[in-house]
Amino acid sequence: MEVLELYETAKVSQWNATRDIPWDRDEPMTATEHEVLRGLLSNYHFGEMAGIEIPAFALLKVKDREAKLFLSTQQMDEARHVEAFDLRLQQIGCDVKQVQMGNVAFSKALADLLTLETAEEAIAGIHIVFENLGSVAFRSHYRALCKTGRDPVTREILKRVIADETRHEQFGRTWMKKFLEANPERLEVVDGVQKRIAPMMIETLLHKSAKMKVWEIEREEDVASAVKKFTWILDDLGLDSSYLN
Ligand SMILES: [Fe+2]
Ligand SMILES: [Fe+2]
């Protein structure tokens, strides 16, 4: 899909966290389930905050009009994701201001993303690596909730967030493919970003993944298949994927 088509899809796919989530369908959960859900939602909160900041930087730096239009829609998407996950955290009794990041690899990956200097580096970091690998956390969680039929509130948030993230990821691939064809001398820089951040994201995803089984989330399995898909994406863009084997 071309960037302008993705922009068109974004315009008609806007949803509203206060209106479109079945907030009244909150269900009881055990203390362990609560602890794991709080941890997951906290990581989603931090990830989505970065999701607001890095595309904003890319929007500022990118030269072409189409990318600026698309990235403007992404700003609203990511703001809505923060809002939805924060509302869910509040609903299960957590103060969003007190939410803490307990995953060292994830902190490092987010800090690294904030050091990127050009549009292509930011898009490599956020759209190629973060949107592809990071969204495994959402997909894994969503798949488990569909299988068990539990937690309809989080399930609906995840379903809608995944649809948005898929669009962001498509934008990254489309934009980067054209960019690298026109600017092959930038390939090495883009490659450096993905090779540095992808291992941190993989480590992030596997952090405490065994505990998630309380919600029947099979993170390890999903990470393995996501890495395969990621390898294919890197190959298609002419980027190095050999370090993932
Ligand atoms: Fe997001
Ligand atoms: Fe996103």
Side-chain angles (χ1 to χ4, degrees):
M1 223 187 256
E2 292 298 312
V3 170
L4 277 183
E5 287 175 76
L6 291 165
Y7 172 65
E8 203 54 41
T9 311
K11 286 194 292 177
V12 295
S13 309
Q14 296 295 306
W15 50 281
N16 184 337
T18 49
R19 184 194 60 199
D20 299 328
I21 304 299
W23 296 107
D24 58 345
R25 294 187 62 200
D26 190 22
E27 291 175 351
M29 59 187 98
T30 66
T32 317
E33 287 168 352
H34 184 276
E35 187 200 326
V36 172
L37 180 61
R38 188 189 58 205
L40 286 167
L41 292 169
S42 305
N43 282 339
Y44 300 166
H45 164 90
F46 288 109
E48 295 295 352
M49 287 301 283
I52 292 185
E53 289 165 7
I54 324 293
F57 175 75
L59 166 61
L60 193 70
K61 292 281 178 180
V62 82
K63 303 269 192 294
D64 55 293
R65 170 184 169 273
E66 286 83 359
K68 280 191 191 288
L69 292 178
F70 179 83
L71 288 165
S72 302
T73 68
Q74 186 176 350
Q75 293 307 133
M76 188 56 226
D77 294 343
E78 306 293 10
R80 186 172 52 236
H81 299 172
V82 171
E83 181 196 2
F85 288 127
D86 286 359
L87 284 170
R88 183 65 179 134
L89 272 165
Q90 280 163 6
Q91 188 175 39
I92 65 163
C94 304
D95 180 350
V96 174
K97 290 196 194 100
Q98 308 283 319
V99 164
Q100 302 222 339
M101 164 76 79
N103 188 331
V104 178
F106 197 28
S107 302
K108 276 193 199 161
L110 296 180
D112 195 299
L113 284 170
L114 290 168
T115 66
L116 303 174
E117 289 180 350
T118 60
E120 59 272 27
E121 286 173 280
I123 291 172
I126 201 95
H127 295 88
I128 304 294
V129 179
F130 202 77
E131 297 278 4
N132 269 296
L133 295 177
S135 68
V136 177
F138 301 145
R139 290 175 201 279
S140 228
H141 193 172
Y142 178 66
R143 196 160 72 89
L145 296 181
C146 288
K147 193 171 78 183
T148 59
R150 298 197 56 205
D151 193 357
V153 181
T154 308
R155 194 169 69 219
E156 186 63 25
I157 299 173
L158 289 168
K159 185 179 109 186
R160 290 172 180 274
V161 166
I162 290 167
D164 291 341
E165 306 300 12
T166 303
R167 194 166 59 244
H168 304 161
E169 182 254 319
Q170 285 175 331
F171 161 79
R173 274 161 56 188
T174 307
W175 185 89
M176 191 59 85
K177 186 140 194 151
K178 275 198 180 155
F179 177 82
L180 289 176
E181 275 164 16
N183 305 275
E185 75 286 358
R186 298 298 291 162
L187 193 124
E188 207 177 315
V189 173
V190 169
D191 218 15
V193 171
Q194 66 89 5
K195 281 202 269 194
R196 198 171 66 239
I197 301 177
M200 293 187 227
M201 284 307 294
I202 294 167
E203 194 185 332
T204 296
L205 288 164
L206 296 173
H207 179 75
K208 290 187 183 168
S209 55
K211 282 187 99 177
M212 295 168 202
K213 296 206 187 329
V214 69
W215 282 103
E216 297 190 36
I217 298 171
E218 299 294 339
R219 196 54 99 70
E220 298 92 340
E221 231 174 79
D222 292 329
V223 170
S225 51
V227 168
K228 257 191 219 160
K229 186 188 158 212
F230 185 59
T231 302
W232 177 83
I233 290 168
L234 295 178
D235 294 346
D236 182 53
L237 289 169
L239 299 169
D240 183 17
S241 66
S242 60
Y243 69 100
L244 293 165
N245 298 326

